[in-house]
Amino acid sequence: MDYIATPYSLDASKQQCWKCKGSGFKKARKPVTQSKSPALSQAKKRLVDIPCPLCTSGALEAAPLNNMTRSLPDRVSKRGFIRPFRPHEGWICPGPNAVTDIHDAAKLLQYGEMITSLCGSWSIHQLVQGHRYTTDDLSTAAIAIQEYTMKKVPLPKRHVDIGCGLGSVLLFVRWKFHESLETSLGIEAQQKHVELARRSVSVNMGSGKSNTSSVRHGDLRSLAEGNLELLPLDEENSFDLVTGTPPYFPVPNGVVPTVEGRGMCSFELRGGIETYCLAAKRCLKKSESARFVFVQTAIEIVRSEIAIWDLGKMKILERVDFYGSEIKKNPLFVVFVCCWGEARVGYSVRKIAVRKQDGSYSKEYHDMLVLVGKPPIQ
């Protein structure tokens, strides 16, 4: 597909499984012989074809979007719907205090919802079986924050998170830069996510005139095309920091989830990185210090570069590649840091492994957790 010529186009006529790429099979390592020695067993494994665990033919049709109602699993009920931090003794909660304690905020929960500690004393409302904030959301916020805390870039005064979902990136950034930010804005298309994000903003920052954070309901395609109701003229190119967490998969590349919210968050049902670049182009302040920071799957690096250069009319300052483990050969996702400019080559690439070989967090990622208000792990 020519994404530059048709940045909003979709082709849902051919659903193809993303795991097996339509073949119906995937590669898996199987031991040649059984051995009590893990090292020997690993050495004698070979790649074989096994039936795809997600489909049987490689071309399942997408299930109807977001229309599945299921009872909550027992494991959820046992763990509970209120999940505060459980820090080590002596941890001093950093950052600004939440207006409402997490246990009091939990009184607002509706069926199928949960509340989780997010950063410091701040919390976030989420769906138990829907989309929840993840490592890539946290990493996007952390890289954006590092751009200001580790480099001589003036602190942002206005931040917009396009396609903000539940508002995790919006809240992380606001929590960290609560003294400098005059405006924090989230734009989200899914009504349920807008409701949850607004509730999170309210319980953390209050709902009075002093709260300058808000979430607007709207489609990014409309924003990219110049919708003045979603972004008035006096707000165009006024944001020092623009963040985004686009969906990863074109519609034909997988089976769209049925669980509420996950389809829109994972698949490009309302556009992909091209739409985000066009929206960011309209939001980002015309300043050398203004930054556009977004996350993308590692398999779409080239496509993202083209979108940044050709549609966003920006240059790439840095790309941070995130690996699930230090033993992995390929990154899972990447975070781009962009600004205004025409340069197409020469940007730096940084590598961060989320976990070490023993399963514990790497120092680099642990430092990022602490940066965004998580308790340190001892």
Side-chain angles (χ1 to χ4, degrees):
M1 181 186 295
D2 186 349
Y3 292 100
I4 300 302
T6 56
Y8 312 124
S9 67
L10 298 173
D11 180 8
S13 60
K14 296 180 180 179
Q15 294 295 331
Q16 186 180 65
C17 177
W18 63 269
K19 200 170 192 68
C20 68
K21 301 295 187 284
S23 68
F25 296 90
K26 71 176 290 290
K27 297 290 184 181
R29 289 190 177 275
K30 294 287 185 180
V32 177
T33 57
Q34 296 293 330
S35 173
K36 295 182 179 180
S37 169
L40 186 59
S41 294
Q42 183 67 28
K44 295 201 171 187
K45 285 184 177 181
R46 61 188 177 88
L47 284 174
V48 297
D49 287 327
I50 64 171
C52 176
L54 294 185
C55 68
T56 55
S57 65
L60 289 178
E61 291 185 1
L65 273 179
N66 300 335
N67 68 346
M68 181 178 288
T69 302
R70 297 182 296 182
S71 59
L72 299 178
D74 291 339
R75 60 180 175 78
V76 174
S77 300
K78 290 179 181 178
R79 187 176 178 189
F81 304 98
I82 308 173
R83 301 183 184 178
F85 287 141
R86 292 181 173 84
H88 62 81
E89 186 177 354
W91 181 61
I92 299 176
C93 188
N97 292 325
V99 172
T100 309
D101 176 78
I102 185 173
H103 295 282
D104 292 329
K107 297 175 183 177
L108 302 172
L109 290 177
Q110 300 175 17
Y111 181 78
E113 298 175 0
M114 62 187 292
I115 187 168
T116 309
S117 288
L118 183 72
C119 47
S121 64
W122 288 21
S123 56
I124 185 170
H125 283 77
Q126 306 190 93
L127 294 171
V128 175
Q129 296 191 107
H131 179 77
R132 300 202 293 269
Y133 91 90
T134 57
T135 299
D136 45 4
D137 298 310
L138 186 150
S139 300
T140 302
I143 295 301
I145 291 169
Q146 284 182 348
E147 189 67 14
Y148 298 94
T149 59
M150 297 175 61
K151 303 174 184 179
K152 294 181 179 180
V153 178
L155 296 181
K157 293 183 178 181
R158 292 174 58 83
H159 167 224
V160 60
D161 188 31
I162 52 179
C164 70
L166 298 167
S168 58
V169 177
L170 183 74
L171 292 170
F172 277 131
V173 173
R174 181 72 194 216
W175 176 87
K176 186 65 178 180
F177 296 132
H178 62 278
E179 293 182 344
S180 70
L181 279 175
E182 299 171 357
T183 300
S184 297
L185 173 64
I187 298 176
E188 170 59 28
Q190 295 193 72
Q191 181 62 50
K192 183 60 178 178
H193 285 189
V194 171
E195 294 172 5
L196 291 170
R198 285 174 176 170
R199 197 188 307 162
S200 295
V201 167
S202 178
V203 300
N204 290 310
M205 290 171 274
S207 55
K209 293 182 179 180
S210 60
N211 179 14
T212 56
S213 297
S214 61
V215 179
R216 295 176 188 169
H217 183 212
D219 192 321
L220 282 192
R221 291 171 296 182
S222 176
L223 172 65
E225 291 171 342
N227 185 308
L228 295 180
E229 292 184 5
L230 197 54
L231 191 74
L233 280 174
D234 61 351
E235 290 186 337
E236 286 191 0
N237 301 118
S238 67
F239 295 91
D240 311 281
L241 174 61
V242 179
T243 52
T245 50
Y248 285 166
F249 304 112
V251 174
N253 288 10
V255 179
V256 179
T258 59
V259 177
E260 185 176 7
R262 287 182 178 170
M264 295 293 181
C265 295
S266 302
F267 286 83
E268 298 171 2
L269 296 165
R270 289 190 173 104
I273 181 55
E274 293 77 18
T275 308
Y276 276 71
C277 286
L278 288 170
K281 180 182 177 182
R282 191 172 167 222
C283 294
L284 193 65
K285 187 177 181 179
K286 298 288 186 177
S287 167
E288 292 182 358
S289 61
R291 296 290 184 268
F292 173 39
V293 181
F294 70 91
V295 67
Q296 182 58 283
T297 172
I299 63 177
E300 295 284 18
I301 290 176
V302 173
R303 176 183 165 192
S304 298
E305 290 174 336
I306 295 172
I308 295 165
W309 295 330
D310 291 355
L311 295 179
K313 305 300 181 183
M314 301 179 196
K315 65 180 180 180
I316 303 168
L317 294 174
E318 182 183 36
R319 193 186 81 221
V320 185
D321 294 358
F322 283 84
Y323 294 74
S325 168
E326 61 184 9
I327 63 174
K328 297 294 184 180
K329 294 182 179 180
N330 299 311
L332 281 174
F333 61 88
V334 300
V335 176
F336 284 92
V337 180
C338 313
C339 70
W340 293 113
E342 298 294 332
R344 287 176 171 261
V345 293
Y347 65 85
S348 63
V349 177
R350 181 158 48 114
K351 297 181 180 180
I352 294 178
V354 174
R355 295 186 181 273
K356 296 188 289 187
Q357 192 167 357
D358 62 6
S360 62
Y361 286 124
S362 67
K363 182 182 184 306
E364 293 86 353
Y365 190 73
H366 182 265
D367 290 345
M368 289 173 58
L369 294 175
V370 175
L371 179 67
V372 298
K374 306 289 186 184
I377 300 172
Q378 293 187 332

